[in-house]
Amino acid sequence: MNLLVVAATALEIKPFSEYLSQASLPQTCQVEVLIGGIGLTHTAWHLGKYMAAKRPDVAIQAGIAGSFNHSWPLGQVVMIGKEQFGDLGVDDAGTFRDLFEIGLWNSGQTPFAGTSLVNTFAGLPFTPDLPIGSSVSINTVTGSLPSIERLQQKYTPDIESMEGAAFHFACLQENIPFLQLRCISNYVEVRDKSKWNIPLAVKNLNQALVGVVEAMAHGR
């Protein structure tokens, strides 16, 4: 099995990279790490370049993220079942309209299910027992009440990231089984980094990532 692990930054999966350097995985499992960069554009380019040359059997995206869902504690790891582009569209006299609403995209067009990029988790050799959330991907991290309200009303997301929709889009287009893991480092609210817990999120994310890779590698 060829397994691709994608992250926006090396910092987010540093413990996993350290684990991988000394892990004794079966020879039948080859793991590659791709640091795709922050944001949708970087992620799309790096994935496109990689997938043009190689085809992984499974792709995993791992990263920390903000949460709209306050019932999940900081440090909770979730897997994303549904992704949406949160700021790709037009400003129509002060009202944001996405590409589906203005008719440039059609509901259900490949690879969308309706207007969402849905992971059915089909084809995965192992699926972790984690909460499943929906996510919205944006180019500007949300930090004001009007932006929060717009995203919640329009997309009802649990999680906000800057790369997930590009990852879902690429894997769905290429028909590659995939899994997006996100660990909550902060809540999506008026920006206050003193309330964030990035070390905890990185720690828990990497523990989950190691567990998933181990289970996939050993066929559990």
Side-chain angles (χ1 to χ4, degrees), residues 7-8 10-11 15-16 26 36 60 73 81 86 100 120-121 137-138 159 162 177 180 186 191-192 195 200 206 209:
L11 174 65
F16 175 76
I60 300 174
F100 292 104
T120 64
F121 308 106
S137 293
I138 40 75
I159 297 293
M162 301 181 76
Q180 183 188 167
N186 61 282
R191 193 170 174 84
D192 182 356
K195 297 180 180 180
L200 175 65
N206 283 266
L209 180 57

Side-chain angles (χ1 to χ4, degrees), residues 69-150:
N69 187 342
H70 286 248
S71 69
W72 287 333
L74 298 186
Q76 175 67 57
V77 181
V78 302
M79 52 187 186
I80 303 302
K82 180 176 74 174
E83 269 286 358
Q84 299 170 97
F85 290 99
D87 54 14
L88 184 57
V90 300
D91 182 340
D92 186 0
T95 298
F96 173 78
R97 302 190 187 280
D98 63 32
L99 298 187
F100 292 104
E101 291 176 303
I102 62 175
L104 292 181
W105 283 351
N106 297 315
S107 177
Q109 73 178 52
T110 304
F112 291 89
T115 60
S116 302
L117 297 161
V118 175
N119 189 358
T120 64
F121 308 106
L124 291 173
F126 169 79
T127 305
D129 183 17
L130 292 170
I132 299 174
S134 64
S135 178
V136 64
S137 293
I138 40 75
N139 289 288
T140 302
V141 173
T142 306
S144 67
L145 289 177
S147 296
I148 293 168
E149 291 171 358
R150 178 186 73 78

Side-chain angles (χ1 to χ4, degrees), residues 55-60 119 121-125 167 171 175-179:
R55 182 179 177 83
D57 296 307
V58 175
I60 300 174
N119 189 358
F121 308 106
L124 291 173
F167 175 73
C171 292
N175 197 29
I176 294 170
F178 65 98
L179 180 66

Side-chain angles (χ1 to χ4, degrees), residues 24-48:
S24 297
L25 295 175
Q27 292 184 350
T28 54
C29 181
Q30 302 297 316
V31 182
E32 285 195 73
V33 172
L34 176 65
I35 303 302
I38 297 171
L40 295 163
T41 301
H42 283 94
T43 301
W45 185 83
H46 281 282
L47 279 173

